[in-house]
Amino acid sequence: SLIPSSMPSLIPSSLPSLMPSSLPSVTPSYTHSLIPSSIPSMEPSVTSSLIPSYMPSMDPSSLPSLVPSFTPSLEPSEMPSLIPSSMPSLDPSSSPSLQPSSMPSLQLSVIPSLMPSSMPSLDPSSSPSLQPSAILSMEPSEMLSFNPSSNPSFEPSLNPSFAPSRSLSFSPTASMPPTLSVVPSYSPSTYTELRRREDIFLAALRLSGFATISDTTSPQRMALEWIMRDDGLQLNSNSPNFIQRYSISTFYFATTNGAKDSWTECGADASQSSCPNESSRFLSPNNECDWSGIRCNAKDEITDLRLKENGLTGSFMPKELGFLSSLEILLLSKNYLSSTVPSEIGLLSNLKYLYLNNNNFVGTIPESIGNLENMVLFSVGNNAMNGTIPDKMFHSNLKHFDIDDNNFHGTLPSEMFTSSLNLLNIDIGGNSFEGTISKGFGNLTKMKLLRMNDNNFVGELPSEIFASPSLQTLNCSLNDLNDTLPDELYGATSLRVLNLASNNFIGTISTEIGDLIDLVELSLQSNQFEGTIPSTIGLLNDLTSMDMSFNFLSGTMPGGVCDLKVRSFLFLELVSDCDGSLPRVVCDCCSTCEVGYE
């Protein structure tokens, strides 16, 4: 009906009434009324009412009301109310209320309330409140509070609070027998000191999150406790260097296994590590800019953190490093760090030099590294990292790219050859890169070093790789390269190291190799070269080692090469296939003779 009837229906309708009836239905409707009835229903409805009824239900509903009823329920609901009732429940709910009630509960709840009630509970709850109550408790709680109450408890709690209360307790807590302090506390437990600690606690909570701070074993919690209680500077949460000091002390606890391990030099514990200047120890009462390995600018902002080969340990790098916004140099190489590289490192917009090489880092290079447009050097070599190389990490300022001896795979991003044209040194050896060598190397005309050994590259050695007149080191060994050597190789007169060993190169070695007058190391072993060894190699006066073994070369080692070995005390290694009953190469001056291919 569009207009309500004055009497109840004997049989329920399948749809709700648009207007309420003046008397209750004998049998409940299947869906809720859009407007409340003035009399309660005899039986509960199957779904919740959109608007509250004026009278309580005879039987509880199975779902919470969207809006509170004006009178209390005779029976408890099975689900929490979304909006608080104006009167207390006669029986406790099995789940917490989303909003506080305006009156105390007559029975204790099993689960803590998400928001505090405005009146005290008559009996204590079995778990702590997530928020403090405005009125003091009649009895102590059995669990510690996450935040302090604004008034003292009548009785002491069984466990300490994470943060202090703002008023005095009526009764003291039971203390153990007193211990003697090595040094006195920095200040008495005054209201001002308690308020300082509370503010610091809340500041750390905002920076690191509740889960981290509530974990008493976390580096962040240890740093918080140190700043609140032990730090000689006694900072406030609004001190200019509070975030910086909190972040760097968190880093210390994270890289000492929660202070269980010790750094090699200038750790906090003088009994476990030496330090040339005691005032420069980490966690000393001096400004953190005076701590060992740290340099700051004129504003006392940390710009350099240099702790190379200092015994740092730890399975994770704290995200709080990202708060050191003025950091330009992060040098942590040759330590024992085994964490992932945190994505928060992308917040260090001023970072120029990142040295994480020779550790045990795992995981991938975070995409956020692409935010570091000022990056000049990126070094994560000799770790256990994996994944592909983010294409967005290549910017015009990047000059040194070192990711050797990891487990990276895939192909090299094209952005490497279009966005980072100032690259000088590239070391990608000891990974699992695949495909052909990009001709884009021809764009890197300032390149001095290229190591791409021990990968899965195939195909020919492109002539474009020799486009840089400054190329001094080329190592393409331990791949699956083939075909003949490009003529452009012999024009790379700045080469000092040429290593093409363990591939499938064919053809002869040109006499023009004598034009590489700066060559110091020549490694062409384990290929399929044929013909004779060029006599022009004897012109390479700076040569210290040459290996031509395991090829199809024949003849006699040129006399000029043997003379060079005799003349130069630096020429220590000369290897060829000069062993066996029928040696391929006759060499009386070789330091090592191999049998070569059968």
Side-chain angles (χ1 to χ4, degrees):
S1 300
L2 297 179
I3 304 298
S5 61
S6 59
M7 297 294 288
S9 302
L10 297 178
I11 303 297
S13 62
S14 59
L15 294 174
S17 302
L18 296 180
M19 298 295 288
S21 62
S22 58
L23 289 173
S25 301
V26 175
T27 307
S29 61
Y30 298 107
T31 55
H32 52 74
S33 302
L34 298 180
I35 305 296
S37 63
S38 58
I39 305 296
S41 302
M42 305 301 292
E43 297 289 337
S45 61
V46 180
T47 56
S48 55
S49 301
L50 296 179
I51 304 296
S53 61
Y54 300 105
M55 298 293 288
S57 301
M58 299 296 181
D59 290 300
S61 62
S62 58
L63 294 171
S65 302
L66 298 179
V67 181
S69 61
F70 297 106
T71 55
S73 302
L74 297 180
E75 298 290 337
S77 61
E78 298 177 4
M79 299 288 288
S81 301
L82 298 179
I83 304 296
S85 62
S86 58
M87 298 293 288
S89 302
L90 297 178
D91 289 299
S93 62
S94 58
S95 297
S97 301
L98 298 181
Q99 296 290 330
S101 62
S102 59
M103 296 292 288
S105 301
L106 298 180
Q107 298 291 329
L108 66 153
S109 62
V110 179
I111 307 294
S113 301
L114 298 181
M115 296 295 288
S117 62
S118 59
M119 296 294 287
S121 301
L122 298 181
D123 288 299
S125 61
S126 57
S127 297
S129 301
L130 298 182
Q131 297 290 331
S133 61
I135 307 298
L136 54 157
S137 302
M138 299 294 184
E139 297 291 335
S141 62
E142 298 178 3
M143 300 288 289
L144 58 164
S145 301
F146 291 107
N147 285 303
S149 60
S150 57
N151 285 292
S153 303
F154 285 116
E155 298 291 338
S157 61
L158 300 181
N159 290 290
S161 302
F162 283 118
S165 61
R166 299 181 182 179
S167 300
L168 301 176
S169 301
F170 286 111
S171 298
T173 57
S175 302
M176 297 294 289
T179 57
L180 295 177
S181 301
V182 178
V183 293
S185 60
Y186 292 108
S187 61
S189 296
T190 62
Y191 174 82
T192 302
E193 169 63 10
L194 296 178
R195 184 58 186 268
R196 183 189 76 88
R197 294 185 182 184
E198 180 183 6
D199 291 342
I200 288 175
F201 178 88
L202 294 175
L205 203 64
R206 289 190 294 270
L207 292 171
S208 301
F210 174 78
T212 302
I213 292 298
S214 62
D215 180 2
T216 57
T217 64
S218 72
Q220 292 84 352
R221 177 60 180 270
M222 292 181 178
L224 168 63
E225 294 284 352
W226 175 75
I227 288 178
M228 282 199 308
R229 305 176 189 277
D230 302 322
D231 185 8
L233 287 190
Q234 291 291 282
L235 299 180
N236 296 312
S237 61
N238 57 357
S239 298
N241 62 328
F242 168 75
I243 294 178
Q244 176 172 277
R245 198 167 178 87
Y246 170 71
S247 299
I248 200 64
S249 56
T250 294
F251 172 81
Y252 173 78
F253 285 107
T255 55
T256 56
N257 192 21
K260 295 177 183 177
D261 300 330
S262 178
W263 289 356
T264 304
E265 188 173 278
C266 292
D269 189 345
S271 67
Q272 296 188 26
S273 67
S274 62
C275 193
N277 186 351
E278 288 300 312
S279 64
S280 64
R281 284 191 181 278
F282 263 64
L283 306 191
S284 73
N286 296 321
N287 187 285
E288 62 275 8
C289 292
D290 297 327
W291 294 353
S292 178
I294 292 179
R295 294 180 183 177
C296 294
N297 58 23
K299 299 179 181 180
D300 280 346
E301 298 168 337
I302 296 178
T303 58
D304 295 17
L305 181 57
R306 306 184 187 211
L307 295 169
K308 177 182 178 181
E309 207 167 356
N310 200 36
L312 277 64
T313 60
S315 58
F316 84 101
M317 185 73 67
K319 68 176 185 178
E320 286 74 14
L321 266 183
F323 298 139
L324 303 178
S325 57
S326 296
L327 195 64
E328 297 179 4
I329 299 175
L330 181 58
L331 175 56
L332 303 177
S333 54
K334 295 186 178 181
N335 283 292
Y336 306 99
L337 300 170
S338 57
S339 73
T340 58
V341 179
S343 60
E344 287 79 8
I345 204 164
L347 299 174
L348 302 176
S349 58
N350 291 302
L351 193 64
K352 296 179 180 179
Y353 298 90
L354 177 61
Y355 296 90
L356 302 179
N357 55 292
N358 295 87
N359 278 282
N360 299 308
F361 281 101
V362 296
T364 61
I365 299 174
E367 291 288 339
S368 63
I369 209 81
N371 299 331
L372 307 183
E373 297 183 1
N374 293 313
M375 182 82 75
V376 174
L377 181 145
F378 179 79
S379 179
V380 296
N382 294 96
N383 281 291
M385 299 181 69
N386 55 47
T388 58
I389 308 303
D391 52 9
K392 294 181 180 179
M393 71 174 298
F394 294 100
H395 298 288
S396 60
N397 289 315
L398 188 62
K399 294 182 179 180
H400 309 276
F401 184 62
D402 169 24
I403 59 170
D404 70 302
D405 292 318
N406 281 283
N407 297 306
F408 295 115
H409 62 269
T411 58
L412 299 178
S414 60
E415 288 79 3
M416 181 176 182
F417 312 109
T418 57
S419 300
S420 296
L421 301 182
N422 292 311
L423 276 167
L424 301 177
N425 300 312
I426 302 171
D427 191 348
I428 59 173
N431 285 287
S432 299
F433 292 111
E434 58 191 16
T436 58
I437 297 176
S438 174
K439 294 182 178 181
F441 279 104
N443 297 331
L444 306 181
T445 57
K446 299 178 182 180
M447 184 171 61
K448 293 183 178 181
L449 178 147
L450 175 59
R451 291 195 183 107
M452 50 199 320
N453 53 290
D454 198 9
N455 278 286
N456 299 316
F457 289 111
V458 297
E460 64 179 8
L461 185 66
S463 60
E464 289 82 0
I465 213 167
F466 302 102
S468 172
S470 304
L471 186 63
Q472 297 178 3
T473 299
L474 176 63
N475 188 344
C476 296
S477 62
L478 293 165
N479 280 288
D480 196 17
L481 301 174
N482 54 42
D483 213 337
T484 58
L485 299 181
D487 293 337
E488 287 77 6
L489 183 155
Y490 306 108
T493 55
S494 294
L495 272 175
R496 296 178 60 81
V497 176
L498 177 61
N499 189 343
L500 303 177
S502 300
N503 282 286
N504 295 303
F505 290 114
I506 60 174
T508 60
I509 302 172
S510 172
T511 57
E512 293 181 6
I513 198 169
D515 295 337
L516 305 181
I517 57 176
D518 291 333
L519 205 61
V520 175
E521 298 179 18
L522 177 60
S523 301
L524 300 178
Q525 70 270 22
S526 300
N527 280 288
Q528 300 179 43
F529 291 116
E530 56 188 9
T532 60
I533 298 173
S535 60
T536 52
I537 293 178
L539 301 174
L540 306 179
N541 293 320
D542 293 334
L543 203 63
T544 62
S545 67
M546 182 178 81
D547 193 341
M548 295 285 188
S549 63
F550 290 93
N551 278 288
F552 297 109
L553 298 169
S554 59
T556 302
M557 183 66 67
V561 177
C562 287
D563 291 342
L564 182 63
K565 188 174 187 301
V566 172
R567 292 197 312 269
S568 174
F569 66 91
L570 295 176
F571 198 169
L572 301 177
E573 186 177 19
L574 178 59
V575 186
S576 70
D577 295 331
C578 51
D579 198 5
S581 56
L582 293 173
R584 292 180 180 275
V585 177
V586 176
C587 183
D588 296 330
C589 62
C590 285
S591 56
T592 303
C593 284
E594 300 288 355
V595 175
Y597 297 132
E598 294 293 338

